[in-house]
Amino acid sequence: MRSSVEIFNIRTRETRVVWQTSDLFEAPNWSPDGRYLMLNSEGLIYRLALEGGAEPVKVDTGFARLCNNDHGISPDGSLIAISDKCELGKSCIYLLPSQGGAPRLMTGNLPSYWHGWSPDGQSFAYCGIRDQVFDIYSMSIEGGEERRLTFGEGRNDGPDYSADGQWIYFNSSRTGLMQIWRVRTDGSAVERITDSNYGDWFPHPSPRGDKVVFISYDPDVFDHPRDLNVRVRMMDADGGNVETLFDLFGGQGTMNSPNWSPDGDEFAFVRYEPAA
Protein backbone atom coordinates (compact mmCIF):
# COMPACT_ATOMS: atom_id res chain seq x y z
CA MET A 1 0.00 0.00 0.00
CA ARG A 2 1.29 3.42 -1.02
CA SER A 3 -1.82 5.60 -0.66
CA SER A 4 -4.65 4.99 1.78
CA VAL A 5 -7.67 7.24 1.20
CA GLU A 6 -9.43 7.59 4.54
CA ILE A 7 -12.21 9.51 6.30
CA PHE A 8 -12.19 10.82 9.86
CA ASN A 9 -15.43 11.56 11.73
CA ILE A 10 -14.95 14.47 14.15
CA ARG A 11 -18.03 13.48 16.18
CA THR A 12 -17.26 9.78 16.75
CA ARG A 13 -13.47 10.21 16.43
CA GLU A 14 -13.37 7.13 14.21
CA THR A 15 -11.47 6.60 10.95
CA ARG A 16 -12.53 4.42 8.05
CA VAL A 17 -10.59 3.40 4.96
CA VAL A 18 -12.23 4.17 1.62
CA TRP A 19 -9.67 2.75 -0.80
CA GLN A 20 -6.00 1.75 -0.90
CA THR A 21 -3.56 1.51 -3.80
CA SER A 22 0.12 1.07 -4.57
CA ASP A 23 -0.07 4.25 -6.69
CA LEU A 24 0.35 7.82 -5.46
CA PHE A 25 -3.01 9.60 -5.06
CA GLU A 26 -3.42 13.01 -3.47
CA ALA A 27 -5.70 15.72 -2.07
CA PRO A 28 -9.26 14.35 -1.80
CA ASN A 29 -12.11 16.82 -2.39
CA TRP A 30 -15.58 15.78 -1.25
CA SER A 31 -18.39 16.29 -3.77
CA PRO A 32 -21.27 18.56 -2.66
CA ASP A 33 -23.73 15.68 -3.08
CA GLY A 34 -21.59 13.51 -0.80
CA ARG A 35 -21.28 10.71 -3.31
CA TYR A 36 -17.64 10.79 -4.38
CA LEU A 37 -14.14 12.10 -3.72
CA MET A 38 -12.02 13.79 -6.37
CA LEU A 39 -8.27 13.17 -6.30
CA ASN A 40 -5.22 13.60 -8.52
CA SER A 41 -2.62 11.05 -9.56
CA GLU A 42 0.22 11.28 -12.07
CA GLY A 43 -1.10 14.55 -13.49
CA LEU A 44 -4.67 13.35 -13.98
CA ILE A 45 -7.91 13.89 -12.04
CA TYR A 46 -10.07 11.02 -10.78
CA ARG A 47 -13.46 10.48 -9.15
CA LEU A 48 -13.69 7.83 -6.44
CA ALA A 49 -17.18 6.68 -5.45
CA LEU A 50 -17.72 6.43 -1.71
CA GLU A 51 -19.98 3.39 -2.02
CA GLY A 52 -19.79 0.23 -4.04
CA GLY A 53 -16.07 -0.51 -3.83
CA ALA A 54 -15.41 0.86 -7.30
CA GLU A 55 -12.02 1.89 -8.64
CA PRO A 56 -11.33 5.57 -9.42
CA VAL A 57 -12.63 6.87 -12.76
CA LYS A 58 -10.55 9.34 -14.75
CA VAL A 59 -12.08 12.76 -15.42
CA ASP A 60 -11.64 14.17 -18.93
CA THR A 61 -9.49 17.30 -18.46
CA GLY A 62 -8.68 17.75 -22.14
CA PHE A 63 -5.11 18.86 -22.78
CA ALA A 64 -4.50 19.38 -19.05
CA ARG A 65 -2.53 16.26 -18.12
CA LEU A 66 -0.07 17.73 -15.63
CA CYS A 67 -2.56 18.61 -12.91
CA ASN A 68 -1.16 19.07 -9.40
CA ASN A 69 -2.96 18.61 -6.09
CA ASP A 70 -4.58 22.07 -6.05
CA HIS A 71 -8.10 21.32 -7.29
CA GLY A 72 -11.70 21.44 -6.11
CA ILE A 73 -15.39 21.00 -6.90
CA SER A 74 -17.67 24.04 -6.97
CA PRO A 75 -20.35 24.30 -4.24
CA ASP A 76 -23.15 23.47 -6.69
CA GLY A 77 -21.18 20.57 -8.16
CA SER A 78 -21.23 21.93 -11.71
CA LEU A 79 -17.57 22.93 -12.10
CA ILE A 80 -14.15 21.80 -11.09
CA ALA A 81 -11.07 23.94 -10.72
CA ILE A 82 -7.68 22.50 -11.59
CA SER A 83 -4.10 23.75 -11.60
CA ASP A 84 -2.09 22.51 -14.58
CA LYS A 85 1.11 23.53 -16.39
CA CYS A 86 0.72 21.83 -19.79
CA GLU A 87 -0.31 24.86 -21.80
CA LEU A 88 2.03 27.58 -20.55
CA GLY A 89 4.77 25.70 -18.71
CA LYS A 90 3.77 27.01 -15.26
CA SER A 91 0.80 26.22 -13.07
CA CYS A 92 -2.37 27.90 -14.41
CA ILE A 93 -5.88 27.76 -12.98
CA TYR A 94 -8.63 26.40 -15.22
CA LEU A 95 -12.34 25.79 -14.78
CA LEU A 96 -14.19 23.00 -16.57
CA PRO A 97 -17.47 21.07 -16.24
CA SER A 98 -17.37 18.64 -13.32
CA GLN A 99 -18.14 15.72 -15.64
CA GLY A 100 -15.14 16.69 -17.77
CA GLY A 101 -14.55 18.84 -20.81
CA ALA A 102 -12.44 21.63 -22.22
CA PRO A 103 -10.51 23.64 -19.60
CA ARG A 104 -11.12 27.41 -19.54
CA LEU A 105 -8.03 29.42 -18.60
CA MET A 106 -8.64 31.81 -15.69
CA THR A 107 -5.26 33.17 -14.60
CA GLY A 108 -3.04 35.20 -16.89
CA ASN A 109 -0.42 35.76 -14.19
CA LEU A 110 1.70 32.70 -13.44
CA PRO A 111 2.29 30.52 -11.61
CA SER A 112 -1.06 30.28 -9.85
CA TYR A 113 -2.28 27.45 -7.63
CA TRP A 114 -6.01 27.08 -6.92
CA HIS A 115 -7.05 26.47 -3.29
CA GLY A 116 -10.64 27.34 -2.41
CA TRP A 117 -14.17 28.13 -3.64
CA SER A 118 -16.27 30.89 -2.11
CA PRO A 119 -19.46 29.41 -0.57
CA ASP A 120 -21.62 30.99 -3.28
CA GLY A 121 -19.40 29.53 -6.00
CA GLN A 122 -18.89 32.91 -7.65
CA SER A 123 -15.19 33.32 -6.87
CA PHE A 124 -12.14 31.35 -5.85
CA ALA A 125 -8.95 31.93 -3.87
CA TYR A 126 -5.46 30.90 -4.83
CA CYS A 127 -1.76 31.29 -4.20
CA GLY A 128 0.07 33.31 -6.84
CA ILE A 129 3.82 33.68 -7.14
CA ARG A 130 4.76 37.03 -8.66
CA ASP A 131 8.46 37.93 -8.85
CA GLN A 132 9.22 35.15 -6.34
CA VAL A 133 6.70 36.56 -3.85
CA PHE A 134 3.97 34.18 -2.60
CA ASP A 135 0.65 35.91 -1.98
CA ILE A 136 -3.07 35.22 -1.69
CA TYR A 137 -5.37 36.29 -4.52
CA SER A 138 -9.02 35.87 -5.44
CA MET A 139 -10.88 36.06 -8.75
CA SER A 140 -14.44 35.92 -10.05
CA ILE A 141 -15.43 32.79 -11.99
CA GLU A 142 -16.23 35.19 -14.84
CA GLY A 143 -12.53 36.05 -15.02
CA GLY A 144 -11.06 39.54 -15.09
CA GLU A 145 -8.47 41.09 -12.81
CA GLU A 146 -7.16 39.21 -9.83
CA ARG A 147 -7.63 40.74 -6.36
CA ARG A 148 -4.48 40.74 -4.24
CA LEU A 149 -5.21 40.08 -0.56
CA THR A 150 -1.72 39.84 0.98
CA PHE A 151 1.36 41.87 0.16
CA GLY A 152 4.58 39.92 0.56
CA GLU A 153 4.56 39.58 4.34
CA GLY A 154 6.52 36.33 4.25
CA ARG A 155 5.24 33.40 2.22
CA ASN A 156 1.43 33.27 2.01
CA ASP A 157 -0.21 30.08 0.77
CA GLY A 158 -3.10 27.62 1.11
CA PRO A 159 -6.20 29.89 1.13
CA ASP A 160 -9.68 28.50 1.83
CA TYR A 161 -12.97 30.29 2.58
CA SER A 162 -14.96 30.28 5.79
CA ALA A 163 -18.50 28.90 5.58
CA ASP A 164 -20.04 32.38 5.81
CA GLY A 165 -17.83 33.69 3.00
CA GLN A 166 -16.48 36.51 5.17
CA TRP A 167 -12.95 35.21 5.72
CA ILE A 168 -10.18 33.48 3.81
CA TYR A 169 -7.96 31.32 6.00
CA PHE A 170 -4.37 30.79 4.86
CA ASN A 171 -0.92 29.91 6.13
CA SER A 172 1.86 32.49 6.35
CA SER A 173 5.49 32.66 7.45
CA ARG A 174 5.29 36.40 8.17
CA THR A 175 6.23 35.87 11.83
CA GLY A 176 8.88 33.23 11.11
CA LEU A 177 7.37 29.77 11.53
CA MET A 178 4.46 28.98 9.20
CA GLN A 179 1.18 29.67 11.05
CA ILE A 180 -2.52 29.93 10.24
CA TRP A 181 -3.97 33.40 9.56
CA ARG A 182 -7.16 34.77 8.08
CA VAL A 183 -8.08 37.86 6.08
CA ARG A 184 -11.38 39.41 5.10
CA THR A 185 -12.34 38.75 1.49
CA ASP A 186 -11.77 42.44 0.74
CA GLY A 187 -8.18 42.19 2.04
CA SER A 188 -8.81 43.91 5.38
CA ALA A 189 -8.52 42.80 9.01
CA VAL A 190 -5.69 40.27 8.80
CA GLU A 191 -5.65 38.10 11.95
CA ARG A 192 -3.27 35.48 13.26
CA ILE A 193 -5.12 32.30 14.27
CA THR A 194 -2.50 29.81 15.48
CA ASP A 195 0.45 30.41 17.78
CA SER A 196 2.14 27.03 17.83
CA ASN A 197 5.55 25.42 17.84
CA TYR A 198 4.76 23.61 14.58
CA GLY A 199 4.73 24.60 10.92
CA ASP A 200 0.98 24.86 10.25
CA TRP A 201 -0.32 24.42 6.69
CA PHE A 202 -3.49 24.14 4.60
CA PRO A 203 -6.35 25.29 6.86
CA HIS A 204 -9.78 24.04 5.78
CA PRO A 205 -12.80 25.60 7.51
CA SER A 206 -15.79 23.34 8.09
CA PRO A 207 -19.04 23.86 6.14
CA ARG A 208 -20.71 24.34 9.53
CA GLY A 209 -18.38 27.21 10.36
CA ASP A 210 -17.37 25.74 13.70
CA LYS A 211 -14.04 24.04 13.06
CA VAL A 212 -10.86 24.32 10.98
CA VAL A 213 -8.68 21.30 10.19
CA PHE A 214 -5.04 21.64 9.13
CA ILE A 215 -1.65 19.88 8.87
CA SER A 216 1.26 20.54 11.24
CA TYR A 217 4.91 19.76 10.46
CA ASP A 218 7.84 19.65 12.86
CA PRO A 219 9.23 23.18 13.26
CA ASP A 220 12.47 22.41 11.44
CA VAL A 221 10.69 21.32 8.24
CA PHE A 222 10.80 23.82 5.38
CA ASP A 223 7.91 24.05 2.91
CA HIS A 224 5.35 21.21 2.83
CA PRO A 225 7.16 18.05 1.64
CA ARG A 226 5.64 14.61 1.35
CA ASP A 227 6.51 11.46 3.31
CA LEU A 228 7.08 12.81 6.78
CA ASN A 229 5.51 12.23 10.16
CA VAL A 230 2.96 15.04 10.56
CA ARG A 231 -0.08 15.84 12.68
CA VAL A 232 -3.64 16.48 11.61
CA ARG A 233 -4.98 19.12 13.98
CA MET A 234 -8.30 20.86 14.47
CA MET A 235 -9.38 24.09 16.15
CA ASP A 236 -12.36 26.39 16.56
CA ALA A 237 -12.82 29.02 13.87
CA ASP A 238 -11.24 31.66 16.11
CA GLY A 239 -8.21 29.46 16.91
CA GLY A 240 -9.43 28.18 20.25
CA ASN A 241 -9.41 24.58 21.47
CA VAL A 242 -6.56 23.41 19.24
CA GLU A 243 -6.12 19.65 19.40
CA THR A 244 -4.16 16.96 17.59
CA LEU A 245 -6.61 14.46 16.12
CA PHE A 246 -3.98 11.95 14.99
CA ASP A 247 -0.44 11.57 13.68
CA LEU A 248 0.29 10.03 10.30
CA PHE A 249 2.95 9.53 7.64
CA GLY A 250 2.11 12.06 4.96
CA GLY A 251 2.27 15.81 4.44
CA GLN A 252 2.21 16.90 0.79
CA GLY A 253 -0.88 15.28 -0.73
CA THR A 254 -2.57 14.44 2.57
CA MET A 255 -5.08 17.30 2.36
CA ASN A 256 -3.82 20.20 0.25
CA SER A 257 -7.33 21.02 -1.00
CA PRO A 258 -10.78 21.46 0.63
CA ASN A 259 -11.70 18.07 2.08
CA TRP A 260 -14.79 18.35 4.33
CA SER A 261 -17.97 16.33 3.87
CA PRO A 262 -21.01 18.48 2.99
CA ASP A 263 -22.48 18.08 6.50
CA GLY A 264 -19.24 19.08 8.23
CA ASP A 265 -19.07 15.89 10.31
CA GLU A 266 -16.17 14.28 8.44
CA PHE A 267 -13.13 15.07 6.35
CA ALA A 268 -11.12 13.01 3.87
CA PHE A 269 -7.35 12.65 3.76
CA VAL A 270 -4.62 10.42 2.38
CA ARG A 271 -2.23 8.44 4.54
CA TYR A 272 0.99 7.24 2.92
CA GLU A 273 3.47 4.44 3.31
CA PRO A 274 6.98 4.41 1.85
CA ALA A 275 7.04 3.08 -1.70
CA ALA A 276 8.49 -0.40 -1.98
Side-chain angles (χ1 to χ4, degrees):
M1 185 268 290
R2 172 58 170 154
S3 306
S4 180
V5 181
E6 304 181 12
I7 288 171
F8 182 84
N9 187 300
I10 67 171
R11 315 301 173 189
T12 66
R13 300 303 173 101
E14 295 178 345
T15 302
R16 69 182 189 273
V17 175
V18 177
W19 181 69
Q20 294 179 327
T21 177
S22 59
D23 296 324
L24 181 65
F25 274 75
E26 299 181 305
N29 311 130
W30 208 309
S31 67
D33 63 9
R35 299 176 60 185
Y36 68 90
L37 301 177
M38 190 174 79
L39 306 98
N40 63 284
S41 179
E42 299 297 329
L44 303 177
I45 302 294
Y46 292 85
R47 293 166 57 123
L48 176 64
L50 285 171
E51 294 183 0
E55 292 289 305
V57 176
K58 183 168 67 70
V59 177
D60 174 17
T61 55
F63 64 79
R65 302 182 64 83
L66 291 175
C67 300
N68 57 42
N69 51 33
D70 300 322
H71 49 69
I73 310 162
S74 66
D76 67 359
S78 67
L79 297 172
I80 60 174
I82 60 172
S83 305
D84 181 88
K85 64 179 182 180
C86 275
E87 185 176 28
L88 298 174
K90 294 181 179 180
S91 181
C92 312
I93 297 172
Y94 299 88
L95 300 183
L96 61 149
S98 60
Q99 296 302 316
R104 173 166 60 101
L105 178 65
M106 300 302 298
T107 49
N109 296 326
L110 308 176
S112 295
Y113 302 87
W114 185 93
H115 275 283
W117 285 100
S118 63
D120 64 6
Q122 296 305 299
S123 61
F124 56 88
Y126 56 102
C127 172
I129 307 175
R130 313 288 181 255
D131 297 322
Q132 304 303 311
V133 178
F134 290 70
D135 273 312
I136 306 303
Y137 296 84
S138 65
M139 178 180 287
S140 165
I141 63 169
E142 301 303 323
E145 295 297 317
E146 60 186 12
R147 177 195 289 266
R148 187 176 183 180
L149 302 176
T150 61
F151 295 88
E153 314 92 333
R155 175 174 178 175
N156 303 290
D157 202 347
D160 196 1
Y161 286 82
S162 62
D164 61 8
Q166 299 300 305
W167 295 95
I168 293 176
Y169 286 72
F170 64 101
N171 48 271
S172 177
S173 64
R174 64 186 63 199
T175 54
L177 195 60
M178 192 67 79
Q179 299 287 281
I180 306 303
W181 294 69
R182 66 182 181 182
V183 62
R184 292 284 186 183
T185 53
D186 64 0
S188 65
V190 180
E191 298 180 1
R192 181 172 177 171
I193 302 299
T194 61
D195 185 6
S196 75
N197 294 320
Y198 300 119
D200 297 331
W201 283 82
F202 302 131
H204 300 303
S206 162
R208 291 191 178 187
D210 58 341
K211 296 293 183 181
V212 179
V213 67
F214 57 103
I215 287 279
S216 293
Y217 286 88
D218 287 344
D220 60 344
V221 175
F222 177 74
D223 211 332
H224 53 95
R226 70 173 76 257
D227 294 345
L228 290 177
N229 293 314
V230 298
R231 303 146 197 85
V232 174
R233 301 206 292 159
M234 187 172 69
M235 62 186 173
D236 294 343
D238 63 0
N241 297 313
V242 182
E243 60 177 319
T244 297
L245 297 177
F246 51 89
D247 299 333
L248 83 166
F249 189 74
Q252 169 78 303
T254 290
M255 49 184 228
N256 296 57
S257 301
N259 59 334
W260 283 95
S261 63
D263 62 10
D265 285 340
E266 300 179 305
F267 62 84
F269 64 97
V270 184
R271 184 189 306 272
Y272 295 102
E273 294 294 338

